[in-house]
Amino acid sequence: MNKIMKKLVSILAVCLALTSCDPVQTHEEWQREQDYKCATRITKFNYEGHSYLLYQYQANTRNAVAGICHDENCPCKKYIPTD
């Protein structure tokens, strides 16, 4: 009976080890995933002729993050030479 229990525990341990491991990601794969998650939280909007980016993230009802920045691609940022 003792040999059977040892084999059963060994098989269960191997099965648990094989199913509990996450697939290994390279840094590039991890970075792409993080970039995608971040990009899905950005909304572009216009206000008084200017383009802005709104970043919103809400993990739960108490922890929320938001930020607004002037879009670098806004028409007002284009360089116009005055020669």
Side-chain angles (χ1 to χ4, degrees), residues 1 6 11 17 28 35 39 45 55 61 64-65 69 76 78 81-82:
M1 186 71 162
K6 284 183 180 179
I11 291 170
E28 289 79 18
D35 291 346
F45 69 96
Y55 176 83
T61 56
V65 176
C69 70
C76 77
K78 295 198 174 161
T82 56

Side-chain angles (χ1 to χ4, degrees), residues 24-36:
V24 178
Q25 279 187 322
T26 65
H27 177 71
E28 289 79 18
E29 291 169 334
W30 177 86
Q31 188 64 57
R32 265 194 303 277
E33 183 180 315
Q34 297 305 311
D35 291 346
Y36 175 77

Side-chain angles (χ1 to χ4, degrees), residues 7-24:
K7 283 185 179 180
L8 183 60
V9 169
S10 303
I11 291 170
L12 288 173
V14 169
C15 289
L16 181 64
L18 291 174
T19 59
S20 66
C21 296
D22 290 333
V24 178

Side-chain angles (χ1 to χ4, degrees), residues 40-56:
T40 60
R41 298 178 182 126
I42 297 174
T43 305
K44 188 173 183 176
F45 69 96
N46 293 312
Y47 179 72
E48 293 186 357
H50 293 273
S51 178
Y52 294 92
L53 301 173
L54 170 65
Y55 176 83
Q56 292 178 308

Side-chain angles (χ1 to χ4, degrees), residues 51-78:
S51 178
Y52 294 92
L53 301 173
L54 170 65
Y55 176 83
Q56 292 178 308
Y57 173 69
Q58 185 168 356
N60 56 45
T61 56
R62 291 182 170 238
N63 298 326
V65 176
I68 297 175
C69 70
H70 196 179
D71 189 358
E72 286 297 316
N73 295 324
C74 184
C76 77
K77 299 229 178 190
K78 295 198 174 161

